[in-house]
Amino acid sequence: MNFSMAAALPRSAASLQQDLEDALALAEFAARVTVAKDGRALDLTVLSSSKAPFDRTVKAATEWLKRADIEGAAAFNDAYDIVLTLPTSASVERFIEVFLEPLIRVHTTATQLDGLLDYHLVTGDALVQGPHAIELILPGDGLDAVVKLASLLGAPSIAEGLQLHDREGMRRLADRLKWLITGVVQSTARATAVPGCAHAPDHATLDLTTPQARLLAQRLAQLAQDLPAVSRPT
């Protein structure tokens, strides 16, 4: 064998199997990765079809690959799972860039936001709603989590003059929260408030893009550095 020629050969898709598996784990996307029969390509079996960027048909998967400019092919296996065959290292890298990296960013941001809310003793849950969206739920009787978050962000009087057990008061609080968060994230945010019931407390919801959620997390992180440590119950 001519070793200089062998050294010049491009990396195979199979050489990136671990990279792809790691990216899938970080993106929380369920799939199985195996080396194809030719020993160079990778077969990616989609196990979480509800999170896939295409419907569960070979035609839809093939069309998505084409739109995303990813070299590859789609087929059903014996269990009628969609299998994407990625033939080159470039196709694996493109799949990670186009599909997995946005998911990694949104999951990382949601985890950071959850941790910062917990640090500041604000009850809330950052839920990933897709590769570019996070739903921040702020629950509590009288929307106390909203009031606490607003106070941290410099609006301690956000609930002034409002009846927070009243539907109209909750609506107006959500509107004030919307404009407060819009200022923090530098683009229009969306906020709603929902009265509680026998099985769930009152809660407000903020619908954020990944960049908006990152800016909110950055502000909360800065506050964690600037403000004295919050006393916590023992």
Side-chain angles (χ1 to χ4, degrees):
M1 175 183 289
N2 185 319
F3 287 99
S4 63
M5 289 181 62
L9 287 174
R11 288 188 302 167
S12 67
S15 70
L16 297 180
Q17 181 176 1
Q18 188 61 56
D19 292 347
L20 181 55
E21 289 176 342
D22 291 345
L24 287 164
L26 289 171
E28 299 188 22
F29 185 79
R32 182 173 61 251
V33 181
T34 55
V35 177
K37 291 180 180 179
D38 68 0
R40 295 186 60 80
L42 286 178
D43 287 337
L44 185 148
T45 303
V46 177
L47 303 177
S48 55
S49 58
S50 64
K51 296 183 179 180
F54 45 76
D55 292 335
R56 195 177 176 181
T57 68
V58 170
K59 180 181 178 182
T62 301
E63 290 176 348
W64 178 79
L65 287 170
K66 184 176 180 179
R67 287 196 307 273
D69 194 26
I70 299 171
E71 180 185 2
F76 279 129
N77 63 11
D78 292 340
Y80 290 96
D81 298 315
I82 294 288
V83 180
L84 303 179
T85 298
L86 303 174
T88 65
S89 60
S91 63
V92 174
E93 290 167 348
R94 178 68 178 165
F95 179 84
I96 292 173
E97 176 189 359
V98 170
F99 179 56
L100 296 181
E101 285 184 357
L103 282 173
I104 293 170
R105 282 193 294 271
V106 75
H107 279 287
T108 300
T109 301
T111 299
Q112 291 173 340
L113 200 48
D114 272 335
L116 287 161
L117 290 171
D118 183 61
Y119 176 86
H120 288 292
L121 302 181
V122 176
T123 302
D125 288 302
L127 306 176
V128 171
Q129 297 298 308
H132 306 287
I134 290 174
E135 182 181 74
L136 178 58
I137 298 176
L138 300 165
D141 186 44
L143 298 178
D144 57 339
V146 172
V147 175
K148 183 174 285 189
L149 177 62
S151 182
L152 276 170
L153 297 174
S157 302
I158 192 171
E160 187 174 333
L162 301 181
Q163 296 295 324
L164 296 185
H165 293 282
D166 174 81
R167 186 179 293 271
E168 176 62 15
M170 293 176 66
R171 185 195 66 77
R172 292 176 62 190
L173 181 66
D175 193 55
R176 293 179 185 182
L177 177 65
K178 167 189 170 180
W179 293 114
L180 173 64
I181 299 300
T182 292
V184 172
V185 303
Q186 303 170 22
S187 57
T188 303
R190 182 170 173 267
T192 55
V194 179
C197 62
H199 305 290
D202 301 338
H203 69 272
T205 299
L206 278 169
D207 294 310
L208 304 170
T209 64
T210 305
Q212 287 176 329
R214 290 176 71 182
L215 285 170
L216 178 56
Q218 287 171 13
R219 175 65 70 86
L220 293 174
Q222 187 62 52
L223 288 169
Q225 294 177 351
D226 293 345
L227 296 177
V230 179
S231 60
R232 287 168 168 73
T234 57

